[in-house]
Amino acid sequence: MTDHLRTVVIGYGGMGSQYAQMLYDGKVEGMTLTGVCCRNEPGQQKIRERHPGVAIYRDTEDTFAHASDFDAVVVVTPHVTHVPITAEALALGKHVLCDKPAGICAGEVREVLAKKPQGAVWAIMFNTRMEPASLKAKELLDAGELGEITRAVWVCNSWFRTPAYHRSSPWRSSWSGEYGGLLINQCQHYLDLWQWLLGMPDEVDADIDFGKYNDFTVDDSVDLRFLYGPGSVHPKLRGTFISATGEYPGDNRFEIWGKKGRLTLLDEKKLILDRSEPDVDTFCHTNTEIYGQPEYHTEVLVEPQPGKQYQKVFQNFSDHIRKGTPLLADAANGVNSLTLANAAYLSAWTGIRIALPMDDALYTRLLQDRAAMELKEKNKK
């Protein structure tokens, strides 16, 4: 363990600049901004102005040539670069906090995890886990407060995006740049929260629209089914996940039903428990009324409240390395949201349910085919 983490932020875009400022201002105990990796001169000039005394690296090669000057890196670069940058950092014994997703193919992430040096930490920026409502939901579900889980439905189509967003960076919303759309970008946080709360399904069945609302070839509307089998933690669970970026006004409502009631997560921040009194099984065995229904009691467990969830992820990362505090979003679990996205794409491309663990090699090949086809079409224009 170490007392202090000298940290380099790799990538100085919208989020990278925010992370750099947070570290420079000393808002994370045990972490100091030592350097920033930025390839363009305008960005480098901003770093000089905003963060005097902080080292500036031209690229990752320049960064890792100075590996003795830092202990940890924060990776905030395009998705396709997450795995190679992380792999190089870990190989040098550096700790890594990587923006989501962990990569573009779950298989390549697992390969890096298998080679990760003992003692090197790899965490993913899943700040939604830090929401008080998410933490309370996790506590209740792990304690079995809903009893046997039977159904979960998440409608999260509050990601409205216009062409201005999709055109904001050349790599966005493309197979050849972002290697996906809605599922690989916006939905990563919620796919992560789903598996964190309910565990991984046995099968994924996907109905995906590619370019339903936009002039591109990636996904902007999805309907997913998560099927849990006899050997899973919730053998009777059937899950439905619905999302889109072209519908407005949207909703963000995650409902989980169990034999003892229903848990509802609203907009990530409000948590409501409807508790059946008595539970469904007990009522069914004792009820004599034709249309009888158990009573239920509603309780708002968590109200929306302001928070600094990104800062909390950084602090947890720092505390884990320095003090041994449990890591809330490690890559070994964080890869699961990417697995769900990969399986959903594969299901849509092949027209069949995808059993987990999936065929990573098949997915990688089909993804590369789509990227190549997209580039070919772009070059014709």
Side-chain angles (χ1 to χ4, degrees):
M1 296 185 184
T2 183
D3 293 330
H4 204 81
L5 296 174
R6 301 167 299 162
T7 307
V8 169
V9 173
I10 301 179
Y12 196 69
M15 294 309 299
S17 59
Q18 291 184 43
Y19 298 156
Q21 191 66 54
M22 179 171 61
L23 293 173
Y24 188 78
D25 291 342
K27 293 184 177 179
V28 181
E29 181 184 346
M31 295 184 76
T32 298
L33 182 67
T34 301
V36 178
C37 175
C38 177
R39 295 181 300 176
N40 63 82
E41 179 55 38
Q44 293 174 9
Q45 184 56 37
K46 289 180 181 178
I47 296 167
R48 294 185 189 98
E49 295 169 356
R50 297 174 182 175
H51 314 303
V54 168
I56 298 174
Y57 304 114
R58 300 183 307 276
D59 50 33
T60 53
E61 183 178 354
D62 184 25
T63 302
F64 293 126
H66 296 82
S68 62
D69 294 338
F70 56 89
D71 310 299
V73 299
V74 180
V75 180
V76 204
T77 55
H79 302 163
V80 69
T81 65
H82 287 183
V83 164
I85 292 174
T86 296
E88 188 168 0
L90 291 172
L92 292 169
K94 306 304 175 184
H95 306 298
V96 178
L97 175 55
C98 183
D99 208 355
K100 59 80 184 170
I104 58 172
C105 298
E108 65 176 2
V109 176
R110 283 189 278 270
E111 287 178 6
V112 176
L113 280 167
K115 300 174 183 177
K116 184 175 73 68
Q118 186 175 7
V121 174
W122 182 6
I124 309 296
M125 180 57 75
F126 282 127
N127 53 287
T128 310
R129 296 192 188 189
M130 293 294 185
E131 290 286 352
S134 300
L135 291 167
K136 186 63 176 179
K138 175 73 170 170
E139 175 189 327
L140 293 173
L141 291 167
D142 286 354
E145 287 295 315
L146 284 188
E148 186 177 34
I149 305 298
T150 56
R151 185 175 302 279
V153 178
W154 201 340
V155 178
C156 48
N157 61 345
S158 54
W159 308 108
F160 184 70
R161 299 288 188 270
T162 70
Y165 170 85
H166 299 297
R167 292 194 300 259
S168 62
S169 294
W171 54 270
R172 281 200 185 281
S173 307
S174 65
W175 295 117
S176 55
E178 195 165 16
Y179 290 86
L182 170 64
L183 285 174
I184 207 72
N185 188 332
Q186 290 84 9
C187 286
Q188 278 296 293
H189 283 296
Y190 291 172
L191 291 174
D192 172 70
L193 204 59
W194 181 291
Q195 67 83 27
W196 188 57
L197 295 176
L198 298 173
M200 288 290 279
D202 292 284
E203 294 181 307
V204 177
D205 190 17
D207 185 4
I208 299 178
D209 292 303
F210 300 97
K212 180 177 182 178
Y213 301 106
N214 299 274
D215 183 20
F216 54 44
T217 60
V218 295
D219 49 306
D220 54 5
S221 177
V222 303
D223 292 73
L224 312 182
R225 291 187 68 215
F226 296 139
L227 309 171
Y228 292 72
S232 68
V233 65
H234 302 300
K236 293 187 178 181
L237 172 58
R238 292 293 179 268
T240 303
F241 184 93
I242 300 169
S243 191
T245 57
E247 298 164 357
Y248 188 85
D251 201 2
N252 186 358
R253 186 181 185 92
F254 187 14
E255 296 180 287
I256 303 169
W257 282 268
K259 294 294 185 68
K260 295 182 180 180
R262 175 181 63 183
L263 197 62
T264 303
L265 182 63
L266 296 174
D267 296 319
E268 310 169 26
K269 300 181 183 299
K270 185 174 184 177
L271 189 66
I272 302 169
L273 175 62
D274 296 305
R275 192 187 299 273
S276 297
E277 300 172 347
D279 64 82
V280 170
D281 281 347
T282 300
F283 183 81
C284 288
H285 285 121
T286 59
N287 173 65
T288 58
E289 298 292 331
I290 296 177
Y291 298 111
Q293 295 179 340
E295 298 290 331
Y296 69 89
H297 172 72
T298 299
E299 182 181 0
V300 178
L301 300 178
V302 179
E303 289 279 11
Q305 51 190 285
K308 300 177 180 179
Q309 313 318 339
Y310 291 105
Q311 183 176 336
K312 290 179 180 179
V313 174
F314 273 84
Q315 193 61 65
N316 176 253
F317 177 70
S318 172
D319 290 346
H320 173 71
I321 296 167
R322 297 181 304 112
K323 304 175 182 179
T325 302
L327 189 61
L328 197 61
D330 65 287
N333 180 261
V335 70
N336 287 342
S337 62
L338 183 60
T339 299
L340 291 177
N342 288 177
Y345 285 141
L346 191 56
S347 174
W349 295 338
T350 60
I352 62 174
R353 289 182 183 177
I354 300 302
L356 299 179
M358 60 182 281
D359 187 336
D360 289 319
L362 174 61
Y363 175 76
T364 300
R365 190 178 79 246
L366 294 180
L367 177 64
Q368 291 172 342
D369 288 346
R370 274 156 181 77
M373 289 172 59
E374 184 184 71
L375 281 175
K376 185 177 180 180
E377 289 300 316
K378 287 180 178 180
N379 291 334
K380 288 181 181 179
K381 297 179 180 179

